[in-house]
Amino acid sequence: TLPAAMASSCAAPRPLLAYLLWTALLIALFQHEDRAAVGFGGGLPAKPVKKERGFGGGLASKSEEEKRRQRRLGKDPSTNNARKTLLSETAEQIFQIGDLELPLLVPAYVLDYKRFSMMVEAGAGTVSDIVWPAEQALADTLLLRRELWQTDGVCEIGAGLGLAGLVAGKSGAPRVLLTDRDALVLEIAQKSAARNGMGETVSTAAFDWGDRSSWPKPFNGLVVAADVLYDKEVVPSLVNLILHLDGPAILVEPDNIERQSLGSVQYFEEMLQSNGVQFRTEKYFNMKHPSSPMLIISVSRRS
């Protein structure tokens, strides 16, 4: 159970802000104990799903909620200058994935939970700026399934800071492509790659899933993603993108009540079936790193 003060905060009439404050507090606690800004913490949540309520106490109109959602996802061009300034300062975090230790650059502001919550509400900070538990579960899964990428490499979509792709690269993947719609966070990921001696192995590509003209050419290697089904509306574009990249795929998604009620995983599976693509869904659990329940969706290459 949550401490009384935190329980009171989570029950406040500003649900998403309370959610972000709770996440940032956990980040601060992990930073204090093991130098990792975000780790497999007990109860660390998944990315926020699209909701009908906004930051305020009352019901938000669809247009107001959409504006807030765009800011949260880094899609509001009016925040670009503030975001560039915010992400110009980075800090190094050490992530232990299996036997591999990976120094990763993260935006320094996420280490200050008050500043983090303020920046996300203002629109300069986004969900791409921290490493979510599903991303670490994906990195762990890649180390256990090296045969899927050791020949043809890894393309990570919705990579953010790129932990999973970088873990594969440091473990011998011949090539790694990190993609996200946020070019600024990909710049940090590229710096992390150079810092780990993978500057020539790792490349980045910024594009919008909904804009086919911006997609990179087919990758013909393993396609991976973590916690990307937090908005049901992106599922058709995501499925089309995976098919375009032309490789087998692995997705790791939270399996909590909120995600189940959203129905995005089921919708994703239905879309795969309608395109004649085989897949297998299984539970993920690592005793060393307890987190919210996770699902691993293994997608076969379409013949």
Side-chain angles (χ1 to χ4, degrees):
T1 60
L2 296 175
M6 187 59 70
S8 174
S9 172
C10 291
R14 298 166 70 85
L16 183 55
L17 181 56
Y19 165 92
L20 292 168
L21 284 168
W22 172 224
T23 302
L25 179 58
L26 286 173
I27 292 172
L29 291 175
F30 280 112
Q31 163 66 8
H32 175 72
E33 293 185 2
D34 61 5
R35 298 184 296 157
V38 184
F40 279 98
L44 194 64
K47 290 179 184 174
V49 300
K50 183 179 178 183
K51 297 180 182 296
E52 290 305 314
R53 290 182 179 272
F55 284 105
L59 247 148
S61 70
K62 286 187 177 180
S63 61
E64 290 171 342
E65 173 59 26
E66 182 60 20
K67 288 179 182 178
R68 289 163 181 155
R69 175 174 167 270
Q70 296 296 316
R71 287 201 306 266
R72 192 172 70 244
L73 299 177
K75 298 181 180 180
D76 181 357
S78 68
T79 65
N80 284 351
N81 289 335
R83 183 154 175 75
K84 288 179 181 178
T85 301
L86 185 65
L87 269 59
S88 64
E89 182 183 356
T90 58
E92 183 182 88
Q93 300 299 306
I94 307 297
F95 287 87
Q96 188 73 41
I97 307 295
D99 295 329
L100 179 70
E101 185 175 273
L102 183 80
L104 187 77
L105 292 177
V106 302
Y109 85 98
V110 304
L111 305 182
D112 180 338
Y113 74 91
K114 290 183 179 179
R115 189 180 179 205
F116 174 75
S117 60
M118 180 178 67
M119 289 297 101
V120 170
E121 184 172 14
T126 78
V127 295
S128 298
D129 296 346
I130 60 176
V131 178
W132 298 86
E135 177 77 6
Q136 295 176 80
L138 174 60
D140 184 51
T141 301
L142 290 180
L143 289 184
L144 296 173
R145 303 185 183 186
R146 297 170 188 253
E147 72 280 0
L148 296 176
W149 50 261
Q150 60 187 1
T151 300
D152 296 321
V154 172
C155 171
E156 183 174 4
I157 54 181
L161 295 167
L163 175 67
L166 293 176
V167 163
K170 195 166 184 178
S171 301
R175 60 186 178 129
V176 175
L177 176 61
L178 303 177
T179 78
D180 201 283
R181 86 171 314 278
D182 189 336
L184 294 176
V185 79
L186 287 177
E187 290 179 10
I188 298 178
Q190 189 69 65
K191 291 176 182 178
S192 289
R195 203 178 185 95
N196 284 277
M198 296 180 284
E200 295 184 1
T201 303
V202 176
S203 59
T204 63
F207 61 90
D208 193 316
W209 299 348
D211 180 6
R212 281 179 174 267
S213 66
S214 68
W215 290 0
K217 63 182 181 181
F219 185 74
N220 300 310
L222 181 65
V223 179
V224 301
D227 206 348
V228 293
L229 298 178
Y230 56 91
D231 186 341
K232 197 172 180 180
E233 293 179 4
V234 307
V235 170
S237 295
L238 177 60
V239 170
N240 288 333
L241 175 60
I242 291 173
L243 296 179
H244 165 79
L245 291 171
D246 194 24
I250 292 179
L251 279 71
V252 175
E253 293 294 320
D255 187 31
N256 50 35
I257 294 175
E258 187 175 44
R259 190 60 57 89
Q260 291 169 6
S261 64
L262 181 65
S264 56
V265 171
Q266 181 180 353
Y267 185 34
F268 177 74
E269 293 172 339
E270 291 171 352
M271 287 291 296
L272 291 175
Q273 288 178 328
S274 68
N275 282 276
V277 179
Q278 296 183 339
F279 65 91
R280 182 180 74 256
T281 302
E282 58 193 295
K283 297 282 188 179
Y284 169 90
F285 184 73
N286 187 327
M287 287 292 292
K288 293 182 180 179
H289 305 293
S291 62
S292 61
M294 299 282 177
L295 294 175
I296 300 175
I297 308 173
S298 301
V299 182
S300 300
R301 183 184 231 150
R302 185 166 63 174
S303 56

